[in-house]
Amino acid sequence: QVQVAESGGGLVQAGGSLRLSCIVSGLTFDDNAMGWFRQAPGKEREGVTCISWSGESIYYSDSVKGRFTISRDKATNTVYLQMNSLKPEDTAMYYCTALGSLCTLYYPHALKWAASWGQGTQVTVSP
């Protein structure tokens, strides 16, 4: 059974930083692209960033490019999201998921490809 567990969220002032972690089990980590998605209240879930299974290809949404960095650690089956220069509009529940062989930031595709979704971790950025 695939399990995904996100952590690291919290309350931070605008301009601050947070580092999210996502531990995955129950699948072959090295075979999977990993993605971070987020959902703000009243809004649809959206793709934030994705890293390919090899780590060689990385994609960011325009809204976070230059501020967020995704990375993966094969030794611990963990994906990280370093978030710098946070803005109030980054406030959302953040989810990670394993996407199989291909990256996507398009949520409808992620719904079809994702092995499992975690409970998410809340990020709140105050003005």
Side-chain angles (χ1 to χ4, degrees):
Q1 182 179 359
V2 178
Q3 292 187 325
V4 177
E6 304 96 337
S7 63
L11 173 63
V12 64
Q13 287 188 330
S17 298
L18 283 173
R19 189 192 195 202
L20 306 185
S21 300
C22 170
I23 298 176
V24 183
S25 61
L27 51 71
T28 304
F29 184 72
D30 292 355
D31 289 345
N32 278 267
M34 297 297 301
W36 283 96
F37 292 76
R38 67 185 182 186
Q39 187 166 16
K43 294 188 177 181
E44 294 185 350
R45 195 170 297 188
E46 63 176 3
V48 175
T49 179
C50 184
I51 184 168
S52 65
W53 61 269
S54 66
E56 293 181 352
S57 298
I58 293 176
Y59 308 90
Y60 296 99
S61 67
D62 288 342
S63 61
V64 307
K65 200 172 295 182
R67 299 187 297 122
F68 290 11
T69 303
I70 189 172
S71 61
R72 62 189 296 159
D73 182 347
K74 295 181 179 182
T76 59
N77 283 15
T78 303
V79 181
Y80 298 100
L81 181 62
Q82 178 66 44
M83 305 186 297
N84 298 329
S85 302
L86 282 161
K87 305 175 180 179
E89 50 264 44
D90 294 318
T91 295
M93 187 72 78
Y94 282 72
Y95 303 88
C96 83
T97 190
L99 294 167
S101 58
L102 296 176
C103 263
T104 183
L105 296 183
Y106 185 50
Y107 180 56
H109 286 171
L111 271 181
K112 293 182 181 179
W113 300 349
S116 182
W117 295 89
Q119 296 298 310
T121 186
Q122 177 67 39
V123 172
T124 303
V125 184
S126 62

